Amino acid sequence: MLRSVPPPPVQPPPFGAGQSTAFDWSERLSIDVIRNHTKTDDIPAVTDEQLALYRAAALEAAEFFTGQLLSGQRTMTEPVEAAPPSKVSKAASLSHQALSYRYELRYPVADGLVYLYGGSHPSDNRVFRVAAGSRVIRVPITTGLVDTSNCCDPCANHQYNSGLMAAYKAGYESPDKVPAGIVLGCLQFIAWVVEHPGDELVTQRNRKDNSTKVGGVSGSNNIAMVSGALETWRLYDEGAI
């Protein structure tokens, strides 16, 4: 007697979502190193607590500008379902020849392992390897290639691999593995903040106006740009123009 067989339960990745290991930057980017770089060894007005705050702000800015996770190593989960070709976004582009689409993850993959899970097809639960440090993966299309939903239904689900999730480890193994240029950019960021507390609009040449012929005030308070840290960090962002 024939009977329907329920689909197998969804197999989650071997590690829990959201697990993280926070880094201690007190050695790689210590207060002594910051004081030596900013020439504040014998200036008691610049406290250790103040420099620790600047260090945390510099690391946060470096994460935004490089697109890399620097605060620690974390297990990331994000949906990797894709819209049909007419609605495909910049993050996912369809390839009919390979029956797969390109997807750019939020952070680079730390160990090269990406887990797919959560889809409606049994073969959706899989693991594959990419180059360590890569952000781009190719997701095979297992469901949704032939869209049979009502095109006029606003609640219809027009997506490939609906519900499919990707899990991976992001972030460096330790602060010692972070490239030296990113650390140097943090020092540039901190040095500018120490010298310019933000009460005056200045340019990179520490002048209110970078031209002697034009009156008024011009410049920027974008710390990452005027300190030179942005130019140092952008070398580690493969998507930077």
Side-chain angles (χ1 to χ4, degrees):
M1 181 177 179
L2 300 177
R3 60 186 178 87
S4 60
V5 178
V10 174
Q11 297 295 327
F15 43 79
Q19 292 182 352
S20 61
T21 302
F23 287 162
D24 182 8
W25 281 90
S26 60
E27 293 185 5
R28 181 73 190 276
L29 193 55
S30 65
I31 298 298
D32 291 339
V33 171
I34 295 175
R35 286 194 178 278
N36 290 334
H37 181 81
T38 58
K39 306 300 186 294
T40 55
D41 294 347
D42 54 351
I43 301 180
V46 181
T47 65
D48 291 350
E49 292 78 11
Q50 181 181 352
L51 294 178
L53 174 62
Y54 294 166
R55 176 176 59 193
L59 290 170
E60 289 179 357
E63 285 189 341
F64 283 113
F65 284 107
T66 63
Q68 302 187 29
L69 189 61
L70 304 175
S71 59
Q73 195 171 67
R74 186 184 311 160
T75 301
M76 302 297 300
T77 58
E78 54 186 273
V80 292
E81 55 192 12
S86 60
K87 301 179 182 179
V88 86
S89 63
K90 294 182 179 179
S93 58
L94 178 67
S95 172
H96 287 287
Q97 293 79 7
L99 296 182
S100 63
Y101 53 89
R102 176 183 181 274
Y103 192 91
E104 184 174 348
L105 300 171
R106 180 179 179 183
Y107 293 112
V109 181
D111 55 4
L113 295 176
V114 180
Y115 298 84
L116 297 181
Y117 70 101
S120 58
H121 196 274
S123 63
D124 287 342
N125 302 314
R126 64 178 69 184
V127 57
F128 59 91
R129 288 187 175 273
V130 296
S134 174
R135 295 180 60 183
V136 177
I137 62 174
R138 296 207 66 85
V139 182
I141 300 175
T142 56
T143 58
L145 182 59
V146 179
D147 191 357
T148 59
S149 57
N150 186 354
C151 62
C152 300
D153 184 3
C155 298
N157 188 13
H158 304 280
Q159 290 177 324
Y160 298 119
N161 297 334
S162 177
L164 190 64
M165 301 286 293
Y168 60 97
K169 287 185 179 180
Y172 293 93
E173 183 180 352
S174 68
D176 295 333
K177 301 295 184 180
V178 177
I182 295 180
V183 180
L184 175 60
C186 291
L187 288 173
Q188 293 175 289
F189 185 101
I190 295 170
W192 181 268
V193 179
V194 171
E195 292 294 330
H196 306 87
D199 56 349
E200 185 178 13
L201 186 68
V202 294
T203 66
Q204 290 91 324
R205 291 191 292 178
N206 198 24
R207 297 171 55 183
K208 292 183 178 180
D209 187 0
N210 57 7
S211 173
T212 57
K213 297 181 180 180
V214 181
V217 178
S218 63
S220 173
N221 275 335
N222 186 326
I223 304 172
M225 182 183 70
V226 297
S227 67
L230 180 58
E231 292 300 318
T232 304
W233 287 333
R234 71 187 302 272
L235 298 177
Y236 301 92
D237 181 9
E238 297 181 357
I241 298 177

